[in-house]
Amino acid sequence: MRTKYFSLFSLVFLLFFPSQPKPDITFNRYHQGAEVARFLRTVVKRYPDIARLHIIGKSFKGKKILVMELAGKGTFPPKERPAIFVGANLEGVHQIGTEAALFLIDYLVKNREKPEVAKLLAKRTFYIAPLLNPDVAECFFKIPREERRWNFHPVDDDHDGDIDEDPPEDINGDGFITMMRVKDPEGKWIPDPTDPRLMKLADPMKGERGIYKLYTEGVDNDGDGKINEDPIGGVALNSNLPHAWEPFKPGVGLWPVSEPETIALVNFLVKHRNITLIYNFSTVNNLLNMKTPGKTKVGAEKVKVPERYASMIGLDPEKEYTLKEIVAAVKQLPMVRGMEIDETMVASFLGLGPVMTIAPEDLRYYQKVAEWYKKMLEETKIDNPDRPAKPMAEGDFTAWGYFQYGVPSFTVDIFAIPKEQKKEGKKGELTVEKLSKMSSEEFLALGPEKIGAFLKSIDAPPMMKPEMVINMVKMGRITPKQMAEMIKKQGMGRKKKKTEAKEGYILKWIDKELGGKGFIPWKPFHHPTLGEVEIGGFVPYVKIDPPERLIEKLISPNATFILKIAEKLPEVKIAEVKVEKKGKSIYQLTAYIRNEGYFPTAFRQGVRAKAVYPIFVSLELSKGQKLLAGDKSSRISSLAGAGGFRKYKWLIKGKEGGTITLKVKSEKAGRDIKRITLR
């Protein structure tokens, strides 16, 4: 009876209080592709009013590529609002980027009822793609662990007619694919003098002679005398986008957007023209390193102008000209007089080379966002190490997003190992020099805590405790001056010589933060063809993805920073409408079309590349009304940020009390409608 009662109660409870899937997710570990997909589906089931899941395509191995759309109820549908696209892990190695994208989704849905989040969801659309390279990302979770960036599309890398026949292998069976070093008279590498775990290129100017060759761990499977020259796959997806793509380079693909993953990505962005800004989590950070490679490369100081353009410009197609000469000729054309013409624009238009420089008008916005980002890092006390200067890569997604798709595109790496562990002495802190000038009484007055901190700062031996030193000074066995001399003589407090290898700072960080577990010591191994070798090196991914204990600390401020950017997107509004009666049934209508957002409605590059449609302004009259002056429809190429406006005036004939509809529509900045009464 009790069992029946319990079953009946359970049935009633389930009918009236059905269980709802909870998108609970913790950020103390990295999530595999199946877990990512499951979380996204659960979010849609739990929050169908604001969440929608797009399957934008499939990877080479058939995994679904998913984009989460988040948008609340608002005046206009999600596809007609300014939107931000957040991408992650296109490279496949940036697992921390996937976690940041998931955190952003989780934060938005869980805080959807908070006024500031609800307001943002009502006027913006978020497209968030946590895992753009699902095939390669799975390598992070597999044994042996291999840090690969190329997808699994078969490619004959060594051009021998066979495909993928010589990949790296875990030949020592330790679960990691690392490096091999083998002594060879033709070697160019030597162990670092200060830390033999690291390898550095021998410097002949210092009298150094190379003794080692370095290889990725593996064997010569195809017997061509080369090791691992034809790995499984593939194409590096973040080198497969159209901008500045260069053919015949390893890993870039047979042609731009040749891969199913990049096809899916580009198709989605092209079909969603309301995307106003791209924010990408990757291994590069253009908010902490704003360096760009300079002007457009044309391959030579002088070039020939293609025949189809030469006659139009008035130049000889058989002669060679400098870019400056071509620009001067173009500026004389009646159709472009008054327009801003520069070398990069002409070079790009004539097919002489891709634009590679951020327009000055746009650069100031990049610099401002970088300023906000650095301030966020400072406020949240996240390390902000210097990033190595990296030029804008060929075929890069972020470069394509700005130069060809025409919107501001930011890329953030979230984590980087600091180059130096700086120990800045506090004001008044005891130093060896100060110690040498102290009396015994002054030294004792410091107390055990400060003396202990000093001993720690000079890396004193463990046996040298504060209490022991204090007693020795009290008993007169040693003076502060004698102690300072002893410290100098024994080398305590002396700065250790830096390693000469470029990655010395990485190993230093690994030793301190990971107890050395991010580096596998070199161990002897008998190689089937190379003979005696040593296998070891950095553990895959240790330089890219932080330890799990740091995940949430790093992704939380990085993800929520995007909300600040989303708030700044352009937003067109019809403002300050005024109707004046000018005579019998004659009215003058004045209106301002204003950009309420911080960013312009179109960046300079978007206009220059003709990648962003202009703003459309239209006036719809009621029956019996007549437009006497002004245009029924007009276009605005762009409105400046932070209040940029265009003033319009119309003269209309119509009955008092009649209505007019004024519409403004922007591809990137939304739209607005006002119905105006003549009175």
Side-chain angles (χ1 to χ4, degrees):
M1 182 72 180
R2 185 176 180 180
T3 304
K4 289 181 180 178
Y5 176 80
F6 179 79
S7 299
L8 181 62
F9 175 80
S10 301
L11 179 62
V12 172
F13 183 86
L14 288 172
L15 286 172
F16 287 94
F17 303 98
S19 61
Q20 291 181 314
K22 294 182 179 179
D24 291 328
I25 187 169
T26 57
F27 296 99
N28 55 3
R29 65 180 181 85
Y30 293 105
H31 294 87
Q32 296 189 48
E35 295 176 297
V36 172
R38 187 159 53 246
F39 170 72
L40 298 182
R41 288 194 297 268
T42 305
V43 168
V44 173
K45 289 178 183 177
R46 181 69 179 87
Y47 305 105
D49 54 327
I50 63 169
R52 181 185 173 198
L53 194 59
H54 298 268
I55 301 172
I56 67 170
K58 290 186 178 181
S59 68
F60 181 79
K61 284 190 168 184
K63 293 184 177 69
K64 293 176 182 177
I65 302 171
L66 305 173
V67 174
M68 173 65 72
E69 177 185 313
L70 293 175
K73 291 181 180 179
T75 307
F76 300 106
K79 207 169 179 180
E80 295 182 11
R81 305 178 198 171
I84 185 169
F85 179 85
V86 180
N89 212 357
L90 184 62
E91 292 150 309
V93 297
H94 199 242
Q95 316 305 328
I96 189 68
T98 291
E99 299 305 314
L102 293 175
F103 186 94
L104 177 61
I105 294 169
D106 190 56
Y107 182 90
L108 285 170
V109 297
K110 285 182 176 176
N111 294 278
R112 68 199 182 283
E113 294 180 356
K114 287 186 177 179
E116 63 274 17
V117 176
K119 183 181 177 182
L120 198 58
L121 287 171
K123 64 178 183 176
R124 301 283 186 264
T125 301
F126 291 84
Y127 300 115
I128 306 170
L131 191 51
L132 287 167
N133 194 344
D135 291 350
V136 176
E138 285 301 302
C139 295
F140 179 87
F141 302 96
K142 290 184 177 179
I143 302 296
R145 181 175 284 190
E146 176 192 7
E147 187 180 307
R148 62 176 292 139
R149 294 171 186 256
W150 295 5
N151 72 357
F152 292 90
H153 190 161
V155 174
D156 181 11
D157 295 286
D158 56 356
H159 309 292
D160 64 353
D162 293 322
I163 295 175
D164 299 352
E165 80 283 357
D166 197 359
E169 295 152 298
D170 177 23
I171 59 175
N172 67 350
D174 66 354
F176 301 102
I177 293 178
T178 51
M179 300 296 293
M180 302 187 300
R181 67 182 186 186
V182 56
K183 287 187 176 179
D184 193 299
E186 298 180 7
K188 296 181 179 180
W189 297 84
I190 61 171
D192 186 277
T194 58
D195 194 329
R197 293 176 295 175
L198 294 168
M199 302 297 290
K200 68 179 284 288
L201 283 168
D203 186 352
M205 298 305 293
K206 294 181 180 178
E208 296 172 346
R209 181 175 62 85
I211 58 174
Y212 281 101
K213 278 188 175 181
L214 290 179
Y215 302 92
T216 306
E217 187 180 353
V219 297
D220 178 12
N221 291 286
D222 55 0
D224 64 355
K226 299 176 183 177
I227 295 177
N228 306 332
E229 82 286 353
D230 196 356
I232 296 173
V235 177
L237 300 184
N238 205 32
S239 299
N240 189 236
L241 278 296
H243 189 73
W245 181 88
E246 289 191 19
F248 312 119
K249 290 182 69 175
V252 300
L254 293 176
W255 55 80
V257 199
S258 61
E259 305 309 295
E261 298 93 339
T262 49
I263 290 171
L265 176 60
V266 170
N267 275 344
F268 182 81
L269 267 77
V270 169
K271 289 177 181 177
H272 292 78
R273 304 296 305 183
N274 60 322
I275 292 172
T276 306
L277 184 144
I278 292 171
Y279 200 94
N280 189 41
F281 291 118
S282 79
T283 59
V284 180
N285 195 317
N286 69 356
L287 291 181
L288 294 179
N289 182 1
M290 297 297 295
K291 184 177 179 181
T292 57
K295 292 185 178 181
T296 297
K297 300 173 185 177
V298 297
E301 289 186 6
K302 289 190 174 184
V303 292
K304 288 183 179 181
V305 178
E307 189 173 353
R308 63 184 183 278
Y309 297 121
S311 58
M312 181 195 309
I313 301 172
L315 299 177
D316 186 345
E318 298 303 318
K319 287 183 65 176
E320 291 185 339
Y321 301 90
T322 65
L323 270 179
K324 285 185 178 179
E325 290 172 332
I326 299 172
V327 169
V330 170
K331 284 183 176 179
Q332 298 305 311
L333 298 175
M335 65 196 73
V336 298
R337 281 178 188 164
M339 291 175 61
E340 182 184 337
I341 305 294
D342 57 29
E343 291 183 17
T344 56
M345 182 178 181
V346 170
S348 178
F349 177 73
L350 297 180
L352 303 176
V355 180
M356 293 295 283
T357 308
I358 297 174
E361 304 96 317
D362 300 341
L363 185 59
R364 53 185 180 160
Y365 286 100
Y366 273 78
Q367 291 169 336
K368 195 64 180 177
V369 175
E371 182 185 315
W372 297 336
Y373 185 74
K374 290 172 185 175
K375 185 178 179 182
M376 177 275 290
L377 293 179
E378 185 180 334
E379 290 174 348
T380 54
K381 298 181 179 178
I382 290 179
D383 287 338
N384 177 14
D386 292 333
R387 266 59 170 177
K390 291 183 181 180
M392 201 166 286
E394 293 88 356
D396 178 80
F397 171 50
T398 310
W400 174 82
Y402 171 73
F403 288 110
Q404 294 201 24
Y405 190 69
V407 303
S409 300
F410 307 109
T411 179
V412 172
D413 55 3
I414 301 176
F415 169 73
I417 295 174
K419 284 194 173 181
E420 292 182 8
Q421 299 293 313
K422 295 181 181 178
K423 293 182 179 178
E424 297 180 1
K426 296 178 182 177
K427 192 175 181 180
E429 191 176 60
L430 181 59
T431 64
V432 177
E433 288 302 316
K434 288 180 182 178
L435 179 67
S436 66
K437 298 173 184 178
M438 273 185 167
S439 66
S440 296
E441 291 75 19
E442 288 173 327
F443 177 77
L444 294 171
L446 293 172
E449 188 176 340
K450 287 186 178 180
I451 292 172
F454 169 68
L455 294 173
K456 186 177 180 182
S457 72
I458 63 169
D459 294 322
M463 59 179 286
M464 203 170 174
K465 303 287 185 185
E467 296 79 11
M468 182 187 79
V469 175
I470 289 170
N471 286 334
M472 288 176 68
V473 174
K474 278 182 179 180
M475 295 169 67
R477 292 183 180 177
I478 193 170
T479 65
K481 185 177 180 179
Q482 291 171 331
M483 193 187 308
E485 289 172 355
M486 181 191 73
I487 289 169
K488 288 178 182 179
K489 190 175 181 180
Q490 294 187 6
M492 288 185 286
R494 188 183 300 160
K495 287 185 177 179
K496 294 181 180 178
K497 186 180 178 183
K498 290 182 179 179
T499 56
E500 295 179 24
K502 291 181 180 179
E503 295 178 319
Y505 72 98
I506 297 176
L507 193 53
K508 183 179 179 182
W509 182 86
I510 286 171
D511 288 343
K512 181 181 179 183
E513 299 294 334
L514 306 179
K517 290 183 180 179
F519 188 93
I520 297 173
W522 298 99
K523 291 182 180 179
F525 184 84
H526 185 76
H527 194 276
T529 56
L530 296 176
E532 297 305 317
V533 304
E534 291 176 279
I535 299 177
F538 290 101
V539 170
Y541 302 96
V542 72
K543 304 173 193 176
I544 302 169
D545 295 305
E548 292 180 336
R549 60 183 168 80
L550 295 178
I551 292 175
E552 188 159 4
K553 177 187 175 182
L554 293 172
I555 65 175
S556 173
N558 270 283
T560 51
F561 176 74
I562 293 173
L563 305 184
K564 178 183 178 75
I565 304 298
E567 185 65 46
K568 306 289 185 181
L569 297 186
E571 192 173 349
V572 291
K573 292 290 181 185
I574 299 169
E576 303 173 47
V577 177
K578 184 180 179 182
V579 178
E580 296 178 88
K581 192 168 185 177
K582 293 295 183 179
K584 187 178 180 181
S585 301
I586 305 295
Y587 298 87
Q588 180 176 285
L589 172 61
T590 306
Y592 289 85
I593 309 301
R594 193 180 301 277
N595 177 13
E596 302 287 348
Y598 178 82
F599 293 116
T601 59
F603 266 44
R604 173 66 185 141
Q605 176 59 25
V607 175
R608 184 165 64 182
K610 295 181 173 57
V612 179
Y613 294 149
I615 300 166
F616 290 92
V617 180
S618 61
L619 197 68
E620 294 181 1
L621 304 178
S622 299
K623 190 175 181 180
Q625 294 174 341
K626 186 177 181 181
L627 185 63
L628 302 178
D631 297 319
K632 260 191 174 182
S633 63
S634 59
R635 299 179 181 183
I636 308 170
S637 60
S638 179
L639 288 175
F645 67 91
R646 180 71 63 86
K647 183 179 179 181
Y648 283 91
K649 284 187 176 182
W650 297 272
L651 200 62
I652 298 160
K653 183 177 181 180
K655 293 180 180 179
E656 186 173 355
T659 58
I660 294 168
T661 302
L662 180 60
K663 294 181 179 180
V664 57
K665 185 177 182 180
S666 167
E667 180 183 71
K668 305 294 184 187
R671 61 191 184 100
D672 197 12
I673 300 173
K674 279 200 183 301
R675 288 178 176 79
I676 304 152
T677 303
L678 299 178
R679 59 167 60 97

